[in-house]
Amino acid sequence: MTALAGAGRCDPSLIEAARGGDADALVSLIAAAQPDIRRYAARNCRAADIDDAVQETLLLLYRRVGTLRAVTSFSAWLFAVARRACLRLLRQSAGMADTPADDVEMRLAHLAPEDIRIDLSRAIQSLPDHYREVILLRDIEELSIDEIAGVLALTRESVKARIHRARLMIREYLVRDS
C-alpha cells in the first residue's frame, strides 16, 4: 500500500493540488496511481474484473479526491476503494449466474469425470496466485487451516477468507462455462 506514497509519484503537494481542484494535478495523480491500482486489482480481482476495478477506482478518485480529509491517508483510501470494487464485482458475477444451481448440477452430472477434472483444473488455474495456492494446499494437499497459515505466514482468518473467495471464483467459473 505504500507504493503510491513511497514511490514519490504521488507526492503530498500533488495530492493537495488535486484536492484543491487543479485539473492538471488531478490528471497527473490519476496517471501516477493507475499502475499501482492495476497491480492491486491483478492480485485481488478475478482476471475478468481487473480493468473494471481499475476504471471504477480511478473514476471514484476523479470524483471524490476533493472530499479526502487527509493527504496522508490517500493511498490507504485508494486501495480500500480498489478492494471494495474487486469484492463488489466478484459478488456481482457470482449473483448474476443465469442458470439455477440445480440446472448446472444436472449438466455436470452428465459430463464424463475426465471433463469435470479438466474444467475444475482450468477453474483453479484461472485463480490469482494467492487464491490458487490456498486451494491447492487445502483441497489437494489436504492441509489444515492452521498448517496453511503456518506455511504461508498468514492468520487463520486470512486463510479462511482466501479459501472462501477462491471457492466462489471456482464456482463462478464453472457455472459460467458449463
Side-chain angles (χ1 to χ4, degrees):
M1 276 195 207
T2 59
L4 284 172
R9 292 181 291 196
C10 296
D11 63 68
S13 62
L14 181 64
I15 298 168
E16 194 59 50
R19 281 182 56 208
D22 182 342
D24 291 335
L26 182 56
V27 169
S28 296
L29 188 61
I30 289 171
Q34 192 269 343
D36 293 315
I37 297 303
R38 181 164 295 287
R39 273 191 300 279
Y40 182 87
R43 179 153 168 77
N44 292 289
C45 291
R46 291 179 325 119
D49 293 337
I50 293 170
D51 290 334
D52 290 337
V54 170
Q55 184 175 1
E56 287 181 23
T57 301
L58 294 176
L59 182 62
L60 198 61
L61 167 61
Y62 172 78
R63 289 181 177 166
R64 302 264 173 94
V65 72
T67 65
L68 189 62
R69 284 182 240 144
V71 171
T72 56
S73 65
F74 174 73
S75 65
W77 173 76
L78 197 58
F79 285 111
V81 169
R83 179 178 49 80
R84 284 192 301 273
C86 288
L87 291 173
R88 189 189 60 70
L89 289 165
L90 176 63
R91 281 192 304 268
Q92 184 181 27
S93 67
M96 289 180 67
D98 293 340
T99 52
D102 293 339
D103 189 30
V104 171
E105 286 179 19
M106 287 182 61
R107 280 190 275 151
L108 289 175
H110 290 88
L111 290 175
E114 308 83 50
D115 293 336
I116 293 173
R117 278 194 290 278
I118 290 170
D119 287 345
L120 188 55
S121 176
R122 286 182 181 151
I124 292 170
Q125 289 304 312
S126 76
L127 295 173
D129 291 341
H130 60 290
Y131 291 133
R132 185 177 331 114
E133 189 173 38
V134 295
I135 284 296
L136 292 175
L137 290 173
R138 180 67 173 164
D139 295 335
I140 305 300
E141 301 282 329
E142 297 182 350
L143 296 180
S144 70
I145 301 292
D146 290 327
E147 291 169 329
I148 296 169
V151 168
L152 300 178
L154 297 170
T155 64
R156 285 178 47 82
E157 292 75 20
S158 295
V159 171
K160 287 179 175 182
R162 285 186 186 185
I163 290 170
H164 177 72
R165 287 185 198 120
R167 287 179 177 162
L168 283 176
M169 289 180 198
I170 290 170
R171 180 180 180 276
E172 191 274 331
Y173 182 95
L174 293 173
V175 167
R176 178 176 36 109
D177 290 346
S178 61

